Amino acid sequence: MARVVPETDAREPVSAGTTALTRSAYRVSVTETTHQQPPAAPRGAGAGTRSPEYQAARSTLRGLRQDLFRDPFAYRPLPPRRTDGPFVRRLPGRLRSAAQHLPHAVVGVLALIALCAGAVGGDLPGGDVPALLTGVLCALPVLATLVRPVGAFWLSLTATPVVAIINGGGWDWPWMPGAFICHLAVLVVVALRTRPRTAAWMWVLTAAYAFLSDVFFGGSYYYTNSGPMMVTSAFALLVVCLWHVRRTAQQEVTAQQTVTAHERSRRTLLEERTTIARELHDVVAHHMSVVAIQAEAAPYRVENPPPELERAFATIRENAVAALTELRRILGVVRAEDYEAPDAPQPTLADLDALLVNVRDAGLEVEKVVTGAVRELPQGVELSAYRIVQEALSNSLRHAPGASARVEIGYVLGGLGVRVVNGPAPAPNLVKPSPGAGHGITGMRERVTMLNGEMTAGPADDGGYEVAVFLPVATVNEGDA
């Protein structure tokens, strides 16, 4: 933007009602409009001219500080092991409870091994106090990995030269046998508890310590074990990093599968609601059309009807036509472009016998039982009951080929009961079950929920499957008609 500098005009006197600033607030010289304000320099001198290599090195050192130097002795206890794994969940109750602390037991065994190796691995006798101190120094960092993992690495790196000084006449340098086992165990446990970047930094610092100790202090020793330590720890940390990568990939796949299943369930629900909306449109549109026609014809059925009655019937017809138009407009939003309305009317329970004939022709032995006084129900209830029976029998054909089924329709005082149960598929069966996408149960529940009904679906006692539905129907008293 152009830089605006307020000026005062020396030739004009400053009056009482004005100031020099208000008179010249918008005066901008030509030279000022052609020069742009230079951008503000970022923090730090020369920060904008630093090379990508410098930025990468700075980011790397920042990662080192975050992983190993920022609050290294923070309290991070090792959590118990999960007991829902494929192997652990098969164990008895007490063993399954004890398996929670299996990682802690493994770390304790490693600490015991480091204690024994540190106490008897040097030139000192195993029963002396310095030998016992050496073993304790080797076991302490391993135990510290249970509560302070990053601090355990620094303890191990610090205990290594101390153990070497106590065992002054040892043959191994810079890691005595106990210190070798201690540091290797600490590297593996800490790498398991943190992340691959931390494991890489620990290996780099271990290599730096090995190099410095060999160059400045390893001249008087016959043998240096820096090479075996670096090679062994590299292979161990590589295996741990691969385990981390595999575990992260499994978590991402599991999360993606969960999201996919959730989205599939939502899509199925929306598709089923769209189907129900299309079917209900035909039901409601039929009734609204009948109301409009009857309202239009009603005045002609009465000789000399009063004007108020004619206006009432005209209003009823106008409202019915408006409601029908609005219903069709709303349904057009959820209807697919290639959808064609069916020519035949929507099925009811009266068409159930034809459905059972088709199912029997497909190979399913089905029996129908009707209890209660058969009566005419609202068309939406009969349509939903028909679709539920149709979907339940389709599931029986897919999942239990060769089995028999039973359809029970119960007309009760407060509504309609529907129960569809099929037996288990016969053991020697040439037709294999075909897995479904799980849309059928979702559609049934959506229909039942729409009608404020109740539904249960699950395996039967004999190995088959049972679907039980109750659809409430409001009763109309004679006095309310």
Side-chain angles (χ1 to χ4, degrees), residues 345-364 366-368 370 386-387 389-390 393-394 397 407 409:
Q346 294 293 340
T348 62
L349 290 178
D351 303 314
L352 197 58
D353 292 333
L355 173 64
L356 299 183
V357 171
N358 293 332
V359 173
R360 292 189 185 100
D361 294 339
L364 179 64
V366 59
E367 177 187 3
K368 174 187 173 184
V370 179
Y386 179 89
R387 295 300 188 195
V389 174
Q390 183 182 35
L393 295 178
S394 299
L397 285 172
V407 177
I409 306 296

Side-chain angles (χ1 to χ4, degrees), residues 65-400:
R65 183 174 65 254
Q66 292 177 354
D67 291 342
L68 295 180
F69 289 94
R70 179 174 295 176
D71 198 8
F73 288 92
Y75 182 71
R76 300 186 183 97
L78 180 64
R81 175 188 173 91
R82 298 176 57 182
T83 59
D84 56 352
F87 175 75
V88 179
R89 63 187 178 189
R90 292 187 176 91
L91 298 176
R94 298 185 61 181
L95 291 179
R96 189 186 307 115
S97 178
Q100 296 180 356
H101 304 287
L102 180 61
H104 305 78
V106 173
V107 174
V109 171
L110 293 176
L112 181 62
I113 295 174
L115 174 65
C116 297
V120 301
D123 289 347
L124 299 174
D128 289 354
V129 175
L132 182 60
L133 178 61
T134 301
V136 172
L137 289 176
C138 295
L140 184 61
V142 180
L143 292 176
T145 58
L146 295 174
V147 289
R148 307 181 191 276
V150 179
F153 168 75
W154 292 113
L155 287 177
S156 177
L157 207 60
T158 304
T160 298
V162 176
V163 171
I165 292 174
I166 295 177
N167 292 272
W171 292 93
D172 295 326
W173 177 263
W175 281 278
M176 297 301 164
F180 190 97
I181 297 175
C182 168
H183 195 68
L184 188 60
V186 167
L187 289 178
V188 173
V189 175
V190 176
L192 286 172
R193 296 200 56 192
T194 53
R195 53 181 174 177
R197 190 179 71 178
T198 305
W201 279 122
M202 291 191 300
W203 189 86
V204 170
L205 292 180
T206 301
Y209 170 78
F211 175 78
L212 294 177
S213 61
D214 288 344
V215 170
F216 294 102
F217 302 102
S220 60
Y221 286 86
Y222 177 76
Y223 172 72
T224 175
N225 55 6
S226 297
M229 167 59 76
M230 301 315 302
V231 173
T232 306
S233 60
F235 276 105
L237 294 180
L238 178 61
V239 172
V240 173
C241 292
L242 292 177
W243 176 81
H244 273 294
V245 172
R246 181 176 180 272
R247 183 184 181 186
T248 303
Q250 286 181 340
Q251 292 176 349
E252 293 178 355
V253 170
T254 302
Q256 187 63 34
Q257 289 177 347
T258 303
V259 172
T260 303
H262 180 66
E263 292 297 330
R264 186 186 299 112
S265 177
R266 290 185 57 189
R267 184 173 65 251
T268 302
L269 189 61
L270 292 177
E271 292 175 355
E272 190 63 30
R273 287 181 178 177
T274 303
T275 303
I276 296 173
R278 294 168 180 168
E279 294 178 348
L280 287 182
H281 164 262
D282 299 332
V283 175
V284 177
H286 169 72
H287 290 291
M288 295 300 294
S289 300
V290 172
V291 170
I293 294 173
Q294 290 181 347
E296 185 177 5
Y300 300 98
R301 296 177 179 271
V302 180
E303 184 178 357
N304 298 323
E308 294 82 3
L309 183 61
E310 292 183 354
R311 286 195 298 269
F313 280 117
T315 303
I316 293 174
R317 181 183 181 279
E318 291 176 359
N319 290 334
V321 173
L324 185 60
T325 303
E326 186 68 17
L327 177 64
R328 289 172 177 169
R329 185 186 65 82
I330 295 175
L331 185 66
V333 178
V334 298
R335 174 173 287 170
E337 295 180 358
D338 57 349
Y339 174 78
E340 296 182 359
D343 297 332
Q346 294 293 340
T348 62
L349 290 178
D351 303 314
L352 197 58
D353 292 333
L355 173 64
L356 299 183
V357 171
N358 293 332
V359 173
R360 292 189 185 100
D361 294 339
L364 179 64
E365 294 294 333
V366 59
E367 177 187 3
K368 174 187 173 184
V369 177
V370 179
T371 58
V374 179
R375 65 183 186 276
E376 185 178 357
L377 299 174
Q379 193 168 359
V381 174
E382 294 208 1
L383 173 61
S384 297
Y386 179 89
R387 295 300 188 195
I388 289 172
V389 174
Q390 183 182 35
E391 186 60 39
L393 295 178
S394 299
N395 289 341
S396 300
L397 285 172
R398 285 194 299 266
H399 301 289

